[in-house]
Amino acid sequence: MSFPRASGILLHPTSLPSRGGIGDFGPSAYAFADFLASARQGLWQVLPLGPLGYGDSPYSSTSAFAGNPLLISLDRLADRGWLDRTKLDHTKLDHTKSDALVNGADPVDYPAVFHQKLPLLFEAARNFVLRAAPSARSRYESFCRENKWWLDDFVLFDGLRSRFKLESWNRWPRELTRRDPAAIVKAHAEMRDDLDLRRTVQFFFFEQWRALRTYCSQRSIRIVGDIAIFVNFDSADVWTHPDLFRLNSQLDPEVVSGVPPDAFSSDGQRWGNPLYRWDVMKEQGYGWWIDRMRWVIHNFDYIRLDHFRGFSQFWEIPASEPTAIHGRWVDGPKDDLFVKLHEALGGLPFFAEDLGYITPDVHALRERLKIPGMAVLQFGFGDAGAHAHLPHAFTTEKVVYTGTHDNDTLFGWWASGATEHERQQVGAYLGRCDDGVNWAMIRSASNSVASLCVMPMQDALGLGSDARMNVPSRQTGNWQWRFGVELLRPELAKKLATLAEVSDRLPQPLPDSVGANDNEEWAA
């Protein structure tokens, strides 16, 4: 589909300066929405919002449907009486003096956040179960009933994963690994109280997310979601639907995902996600994908499809291989999947992450499906092939970024990553950068013909490499960046607003469908 002309900010909620050691859907999120509105920005892009698996990456989730409990605001729960506020005031997470302090907010310490925040969330859930008023309980029961199709399997998986000390599901007792019906019924009965709490935590998440989306919608801000093509092996999805994935007789992956060696990595990238049985999915009418995308459309306004290339061809690596070197390209579902999605869901508000080595068949697939592609301005100043990322090569069917969560900030790149040749090309293309290379890039992206223009918050703030969100080759220390609220200055909002106005990217009002009856919402 085509998108109306707009601009916005890429900022994952964990990067907000919220209470509890991690950004969440609380007061800081609403303050950021107010900043976007004052800056006349019509987009807020987030990364995936699912519960975190190993590595703390938002792209490594234990569910394609559930929400990340760490994003639930403790302040909002305390406001509604589900938590004693004095307990929040005594958490250690907001009183550290880290040497890694960046711009007024400590980086996320995930082990400490899990250790301190999850017990408070479960305490709030317990209080809700014991004393929720009829109106709140009615909304909770409606939530459980309407989402039973994914919620019951997820909370059971989540509870069993906790019971077995985070052991992978295919190492649980055989009757649970194989989902023996009698064992599943028994587990539900034995864990009933625990599962009710886990349902309540998910209720908290989606009530707060719905309220925040409504607040943004009322300010003409559209939320852009980010959907990974693959799912984790250790997830409720694979445990519940093992027939949809390439598993062997021991229920271990027989092949896994990744990308082949290239100029950036001699070993390629071995992501390790199990690959789909696309033939089985086709026989089932792609029901799992239809459910997934219906849920995504329900929760976001626009959707970035990560690794779009994998729908055309994906890199298949034998699970026994330690690197991605010895893999092969295998055909994906191509048009067939998207035809079924369109038949079931109508217009699809997608755009494709089509970065890296992209073959003509991938471009042809995207163009046949009328799905806009991406360009990253920082990538455009190398050889002639890189010029596809520069504005003169754009059409309106393009979404332009100054950078992404995976590459260095513009200032960091300019200080230590850009070659002398790239610097010369930047000067020739952008001219003088008196207020910083970041603003020269932001102006160039905003003034381009691309329909959507997105800049990471770090680029808008002019921050260096210490504010980088992710280094793909690094195993630890990612996804931790947070900023200080003092950086949301009125002069920055004014500068962005003026640019949005002159480049015809002022926000357009949203339909009134998002968040109907949210005046009754209690948890946010």
Side-chain angles (χ1 to χ4, degrees), residues 405-420:
H405 62 276
D406 278 334
N407 54 288
D408 204 349
T409 67
L410 287 176
F411 263 4
W413 170 75
W414 190 248
S416 59
T419 66
E420 185 58 33

Side-chain angles (χ1 to χ4, degrees), residues 11-225:
L11 179 78
H12 196 49
T14 58
S15 295
L16 291 162
S18 309
R19 181 199 294 266
I22 190 169
D24 59 30
F25 298 153
S28 290
Y30 288 80
F32 181 67
D34 289 339
F35 169 80
L36 289 176
S38 65
R40 310 300 299 276
Q41 300 299 296
L43 305 172
W44 178 359
Q45 183 179 331
V46 300
L47 304 180
L49 299 179
L52 301 179
Y54 293 112
D56 306 320
S57 167
Y59 294 89
S60 175
S61 178
T62 60
S63 172
F65 301 94
N68 180 1
L70 300 183
L71 293 175
I72 297 170
S73 168
L74 298 176
D75 283 294
R76 297 282 176 179
L77 296 180
D79 288 344
R80 301 306 185 268
W82 307 121
L83 274 178
D84 182 346
R85 186 169 291 280
T86 61
K87 293 189 176 183
L88 308 191
D89 295 334
H90 289 90
T91 60
K92 298 178 181 179
L93 293 169
D94 300 302
H95 302 288
T96 58
K97 296 297 182 183
S98 169
D99 291 336
L101 194 65
V102 176
N103 302 305
D106 278 303
V108 180
D109 181 344
Y110 283 99
V113 170
F114 273 106
H115 178 72
Q116 293 198 48
K117 187 166 185 175
L118 285 183
L120 292 173
L121 291 173
F122 276 85
E123 180 178 338
R126 198 171 293 111
N127 290 334
F128 174 85
V129 168
L130 291 174
R131 61 173 192 258
S135 59
R137 186 170 297 280
S138 176
R139 283 197 304 282
Y140 166 73
E141 291 171 352
S142 294
F143 171 81
C144 293
R145 184 171 56 252
E146 293 167 3
N147 296 287
K148 182 179 177 66
W149 57 275
W150 66 264
L151 183 62
D152 284 0
D153 285 320
F154 169 73
V155 296
L156 182 58
F157 172 85
D158 201 43
L160 289 170
R161 191 168 181 263
S162 177
R163 172 188 281 187
F164 296 118
K165 313 295 185 186
L166 306 185
E167 189 77 31
S168 179
W169 63 267
N170 66 338
R171 301 294 182 261
W172 299 347
R174 179 181 174 84
E175 64 274 15
L176 292 172
T177 291
R178 302 285 175 170
R179 292 182 59 87
D180 176 76
I184 296 297
V185 170
K186 181 182 178 183
H188 272 291
E190 291 176 348
M191 302 172 65
R192 183 182 62 184
D193 292 344
D194 179 64
L195 300 185
D196 284 343
L197 296 182
R198 293 177 192 276
R199 288 187 187 91
T200 303
V201 168
Q202 287 299 306
F203 177 57
F204 288 164
F205 176 94
F206 284 103
E207 284 262 300
Q208 291 194 359
W209 176 241
R210 184 170 181 245
L212 180 59
R213 273 198 70 200
T214 299
Y215 190 85
C216 290
S217 175
Q218 292 167 347
R219 287 149 185 79
S220 301
I221 300 166
R222 289 166 169 81
I223 302 293
V224 182

Side-chain angles (χ1 to χ4, degrees), residues 1 59 226-230 258-259 271 276 278 289 292-293 303-315 329-339 341 348-375 397-398:
M1 66 173 286
Y59 294 89
D226 192 339
I227 304 305
I229 180 175
F230 300 117
V259 290
W271 298 335
Y276 298 114
W278 285 114
W289 273 99
R292 186 183 187 191
M293 291 307 180
I303 297 100
R304 172 188 180 271
L305 293 177
D306 191 41
H307 195 55
F308 179 79
R309 196 213 193 294
F311 292 109
S312 180
Q313 280 193 324
F314 53 88
W315 190 245
W329 288 112
V330 178
D331 284 346
K334 302 187 178 181
D335 303 70
D336 196 46
L337 169 63
F338 292 93
V339 169
L341 289 174
L348 303 173
F350 300 158
F351 63 92
E353 183 275 292
D354 55 349
L355 306 175
Y357 176 66
I358 303 298
T359 52
D361 62 297
V362 181
H363 289 302
L365 173 65
R366 183 183 57 73
E367 290 167 2
R368 285 197 304 273
L369 296 171
K370 295 182 170 56
I371 296 177
M374 277 179 55
E397 298 303 305
K398 185 67 71 175

